Amino acid sequence: MQRKRVAVLISGRGSNMAALIEAAKDNDYPAEIALVLSNRPNAGGLGVARAAGIATDVVDHAAFGKDRAAFDRALQAVLEKYRIDIVCLAGFMRLLTPGFVAQWPERMLNIHPALLPAFKGLDTHKRALAAGAKMHGATVHFVVAEMDAGPIVAQGAVAVHTGDSEAALAARVLAVEHRIYPAALKLVAEGRVQVVNGQCLIDGMPVPGLPV
Ligand code: GRF
């Protein structure tokens, strides 16, 4: 099977990107990381990607001012240049326009550090602690125009411990992120994920529930 060409879009340290690069080193993995693309020239993950021999590119959002559509067109041009099949957002801190999102139906994934639909947006760990949540986790989902929405491909849960700090909880969730993102991308790259009535089916079955 032809491996799918994946672009990972980052804004920061890129630990999820690194997990995807690591998984794709396996020849049996159905995707290759063909490009790491950042909206910030100084994103830490760019160096990590280069050190791993992955092509990198930057589309600096600052150069586009408030013109999100122009920024998204520039992103699209780079993705086309690298003949990308699947886009993985991994700590990519820009909202994308509906027009851009529409060009990647069921071909763009995001990882969010919460059990969606709970805790969309930023500061998820702090908010989970403040809410007294007993379970927390991470979600990989297809990207739709609405932020942190879209059909769920995979979730992983962790227990919230009594007295947890935000940093301790974030680290526990991050370890889960690094497992579920490569697993979710594998399923998508293998063509095993189908969206029916707004929900993902994997090999025709609902996404498995979480262990309790
Ligand atoms: C992760 O927690 C991810 O879920 C969120 O932003 C963070 C990015 O971390 N969207 P990293 O850059 O992958 O290390």
Side-chain angles (χ1 to χ4, degrees), residues 138-155:
T139 304
V140 179
H141 63 95
F142 282 124
V143 176
V144 296
E146 187 191 333
M147 185 191 69
D148 298 332
I152 291 168
V153 182
Q155 287 190 316

Side-chain angles (χ1 to χ4, degrees), residues 37-113:
L37 180 54
S38 178
N39 64 308
R40 292 185 191 276
N42 56 358
L46 287 171
V48 177
R50 286 188 203 111
I54 311 274
T56 62
D57 214 325
V58 173
V59 180
D60 186 350
H61 68 272
F64 295 86
K66 290 201 165 85
D67 194 345
R68 287 186 185 273
F71 171 74
D72 286 1
R73 279 195 298 276
L75 277 186
Q76 182 68 21
V78 177
L79 296 173
E80 285 174 10
K81 179 173 137 197
Y82 283 87
R83 305 186 324 279
I84 295 303
D85 300 308
I86 299 173
V87 175
C88 288
L89 308 181
F92 186 68
M93 303 304 286
R94 301 296 297 172
L95 291 177
L96 296 164
T97 56
F100 177 84
V101 172
Q103 287 173 288
W104 297 91
E106 292 164 40
R107 294 196 299 143
M108 180 155 54
L109 292 165
N110 180 46
I111 186 146
H112 182 73

Side-chain angles (χ1 to χ4, degrees), residues 10 12-17 90-93 110-113 125 174 177-178:
I10 63 167
R13 69 186 164 182
S15 71
N16 278 289
M17 170 211 76
F92 186 68
M93 303 304 286
N110 180 46
I111 186 146
H112 182 73
H125 310 306
L174 194 63
E177 295 185 38
H178 296 165

